[in-house]
Amino acid sequence: MSNLVKEFNDYRAKMNDKILADNNKVIKRIFNLDTNAYAEGALDVKTKELLGLVASAVLRCDDCIKYHLETSYKIGLKKEEVVEALSIATLVGGTIVIPHLRRAYEFWDALEAQ
């Protein structure tokens, strides 16, 4: 299971490099906006990551969920905080979020196993 994180990061980096190599101004600006949106501001970085995680779960984007889980892990969020955020996402998103919740737990376990 520990390869789960590496495989995700390797694929993400490879494809992001490929996408950005096309030098499309709109795509580059979206990537930049995404990066800057999660910087410290009126809300702290931890809160913004949890907001991103909840939105990603409700929208059922597994790649997004993995990205926000890894960032949450790296910035020191506790599992209990992440699980509470995911519980809100499941409440808001409904039972269709449960398969993504399963994969989120699996990915968090892989992060902890590193």
Side-chain angles (χ1 to χ4, degrees):
M1 183 160 45
S2 60
N3 285 338
L4 191 61
V5 175
K6 182 177 178 353
E7 288 170 8
F8 170 72
N9 285 325
D10 289 350
Y11 177 76
R12 184 175 180 274
K14 178 181 105 176
M15 293 312 297
N16 282 352
D17 288 347
K18 185 176 180 104
I19 291 165
L20 293 172
D22 276 344
N23 207 27
N24 180 284
K25 188 185 335 184
V26 173
I27 291 174
K28 282 188 168 190
R29 286 182 176 175
I30 290 169
F31 273 56
N32 183 272
L33 181 60
D34 181 66
T35 298
N36 287 315
Y38 290 94
E40 190 82 24
L43 296 174
D44 61 81
V45 171
K46 288 181 177 183
T47 300
K48 288 183 175 187
E49 280 306 319
L50 291 174
L51 289 170
L53 177 61
V54 169
S56 298
V58 171
L59 292 169
R60 301 184 308 271
C61 175
D62 283 331
D63 279 9
C64 305
I65 292 167
K66 288 176 183 175
Y67 173 81
H68 289 293
L69 284 173
E70 184 168 16
T71 304
S72 295
Y73 182 79
K74 286 179 177 178
I75 63 174
L77 281 162
K78 297 180 185 108
K79 182 177 182 177
E80 295 78 17
E81 294 170 305
V82 170
V83 169
E84 192 164 315
L86 288 169
S87 73
I88 298 299
T90 306
L91 172 68
V92 172
T95 57
I96 197 163
V97 174
I98 292 172
H100 304 277
L101 181 62
R102 290 183 192 119
R103 289 187 287 275
Y105 265 76
E106 178 184 33
F107 197 76
W108 188 268
D109 287 347
L111 288 166
E112 288 183 329
Q114 289 184 333

